[in-house]
Amino acid sequence: MQVELTLSASKEFFNGYKNKSWLSSGIFSFFMSLILAIIWYKLLNKQQSFSRVIRDAIKFSEFEPFYQPIIDSRTQQVLGAEMLVRWCKRDGSIVPPSQFIPFAEDSGLIIDITEQLVTKVVDDILRFGWHQSDHFVSINIVPKHIENDTFFKFLTSAMDEKKLQPKHISLEITERLQIDDLHTARQELNKFFDYGIDLKLDDAGTGYGGFSYVQELGINTLKIDKMFVDTINGNDVKASVLEGIISFAQSSELSTIAKGVEEPSQVTYLAERNVFTIQGYVYARPMAKKTF
Ligand code: C2E
Ligand code: CA
């Protein structure tokens, strides 16, 4: 009898507890979902408003090409320049690419931004007098630019309009971003190659593509990342990666450009390994066209 009573009391207690626990976990889930919905709504709103701000900046032509020279360390001659975007706001402030390029890449607005830059770059090539020389300007592209021929048509018609030769423009594609369809990308890239524009692999050794990008995309130059240049004269294990990239490039008959070179000792080290094409603060920072 005693045992029966104890058992039924425990059962009631347990059921009550179970109901309460169901109730409290229901309330908990409700509030969690509410909080997540609010966060999601705010993020979406923030993204939409950033997207509006960037669209306005495109409309007011606020994206400006800056130029960083690429130099032959043997002769100290400027061979060309990489175009690096800056967002020059109407209030006079200058926003670096790290603050808007990732969003522009994700949202697809990078296409409109690049087109705005291309229009300015072709004018600048004439302004610098580079159309009468062998100098080139490198333009950064992302996988979206080679998903179809929109960018190819835009770039080549801008060049044709100013009667620029293909050697004056070069493209850089980063290894950081994944190209989902290498076959289509190569087909699109062939249009640039047939026109006479070449392709460099940026951030070589840091990202997705590895050397499959080199084999599949028709790359002719590796841009050695600052991450590896920084290992020169140090004990970093990545120093062997630098050696590996250089010897891979040379055995595959690819040109090399070392970027992020800050010290003369790095220039010397690279020259000893036949890497003479240098981009970095050791020579110059990116500059507005007037200064350039
Ligand atoms: P990136 O293509 O790797 O460009 C080189 C970056 O290294 C530039 O940064 C340049 O200012 C910086 N740099 C060059 N030499 C040195 C050096 O000696 N020391 C140090 N500490 N830095 C050096 P920036 O201009 O801030 O650009 C950052 C990234 O934004 C670029 O990296 C590129 O991935 C992206 N970016 C810039 N312009 C464009 C563009 O027009 N389109 C696209 N899609 N991406 C762009
Ligand atoms: Ca680049």
Side-chain angles (χ1 to χ4, degrees):
M1 184 66 168
Q2 180 68 30
V3 174
E4 234 171 70
L5 268 177
T6 317
L7 270 178
S8 70
S10 309
K11 209 171 160 191
E12 268 169 33
F13 173 80
F14 179 71
N15 281 342
Y17 177 78
K18 215 166 78 179
N19 287 343
K20 270 190 202 148
S21 118
W22 271 99
L23 189 67
S24 55
S25 73
I27 293 171
F28 177 76
S29 312
F30 172 76
F31 277 110
M32 278 309 286
S33 318
L34 192 68
I35 291 167
L36 284 176
I38 293 171
I39 293 174
W40 181 77
Y41 176 76
K42 289 209 160 182
L43 269 176
L44 198 73
N45 241 352
K46 207 172 148 191
Q47 283 205 331
Q48 277 173 347
S49 61
F50 195 42
S51 168
R52 255 195 309 274
V53 173
I54 301 242
R55 277 177 213 282
D56 274 354
I58 295 169
K59 195 165 88 193
F60 292 106
S61 194
E62 291 176 4
F63 293 103
E64 282 294 329
F66 273 46
Y67 297 94
Q68 184 177 30
I70 295 171
I71 287 172
D72 185 331
S73 66
R74 290 165 296 188
T75 58
Q76 315 285 304
Q77 294 284 312
V78 174
L79 303 170
E82 178 173 4
M83 186 276 287
L84 294 155
V85 62
R86 298 291 181 267
W87 179 359
C88 298
K89 291 188 167 181
R90 279 162 287 165
D91 64 9
S93 59
I94 298 180
V95 183
S98 56
Q99 289 184 26
F100 61 91
I101 284 289
F103 177 79
E105 286 172 352
D106 288 347
S107 61
L109 286 167
I110 191 66
I111 301 290
D112 294 333
I113 294 176
T114 312
E115 289 186 357
Q116 177 159 111
L117 292 165
V118 161
T119 309
K120 295 179 181 185
V121 166
V122 292
D123 282 340
D124 290 344
I125 288 176
L126 298 178
R127 184 176 286 121
F128 301 153
W130 280 12
H131 57 300
Q132 290 157 337
S133 70
D134 287 336
H135 292 91
F136 64 89
V137 172
S138 261
I139 295 174
N140 289 284
I141 60 163
V142 294
K144 275 205 175 63
H145 286 111
I146 45 172
E147 278 173 5
N148 53 51
D149 64 2
T150 312
F151 179 63
F152 169 77
K153 284 184 175 156
F154 187 91
L155 176 63
T156 51
S157 70
M159 291 172 70
D160 291 345
E161 198 185 315
K162 304 285 170 174
K163 300 196 167 48
L164 285 189
Q165 296 170 62
K167 65 179 176 187
H168 296 303
I169 294 285
S170 170
L171 301 175
E172 292 187 9
I173 190 144
T174 177
E175 211 191 281
R176 269 188 306 110
L177 300 174
Q178 188 163 18
I179 298 175
D180 295 327
D181 183 352
L182 279 171
H183 179 71
T184 307
R186 179 59 198 252
Q187 280 181 329
E188 289 308 320
L189 284 169
N190 281 343
K191 295 177 187 160
F192 291 96
F193 301 151
D194 291 345
Y195 183 86
I197 293 174
D198 77 340
L199 180 69
K200 299 176 169 42
L201 183 68
D202 207 357
D203 310 310
T206 66
Y208 281 99
F211 295 116
S212 70
Y213 276 22
V214 173
Q215 280 156 357
E216 312 248 357
L217 294 182
I219 276 147
N220 75 339
T221 303
L222 292 190
K223 289 197 79 172
I224 303 170
D225 196 69
K226 181 175 187 303
M227 179 199 289
F228 303 116
V229 171
D230 282 345
T231 63
I232 294 174
N233 301 330
N235 297 321
D236 199 312
V237 284
K238 287 197 290 299
S240 57
V241 181
L242 173 65
E243 298 285 336
I245 293 172
I246 294 172
S247 61
F248 170 79
Q250 287 165 355
S251 60
S252 314
E253 297 184 350
L254 298 166
S255 308
T256 44
I257 299 178
K259 68 177 186 180
V261 182
E262 296 183 340
E263 305 289 336
S265 62
Q266 295 171 328
V267 177
T268 310
Y269 177 99
L270 290 161
E272 283 163 358
R273 284 152 187 82
N274 293 322
V275 177
F276 302 110
T277 313
I278 305 291
Q279 178 184 350
Y281 294 175
V282 69
Y283 289 121
R285 288 177 181 248
M287 289 169 261
K289 60 177 156 248
K290 272 191 198 155
T291 325
F292 194 78

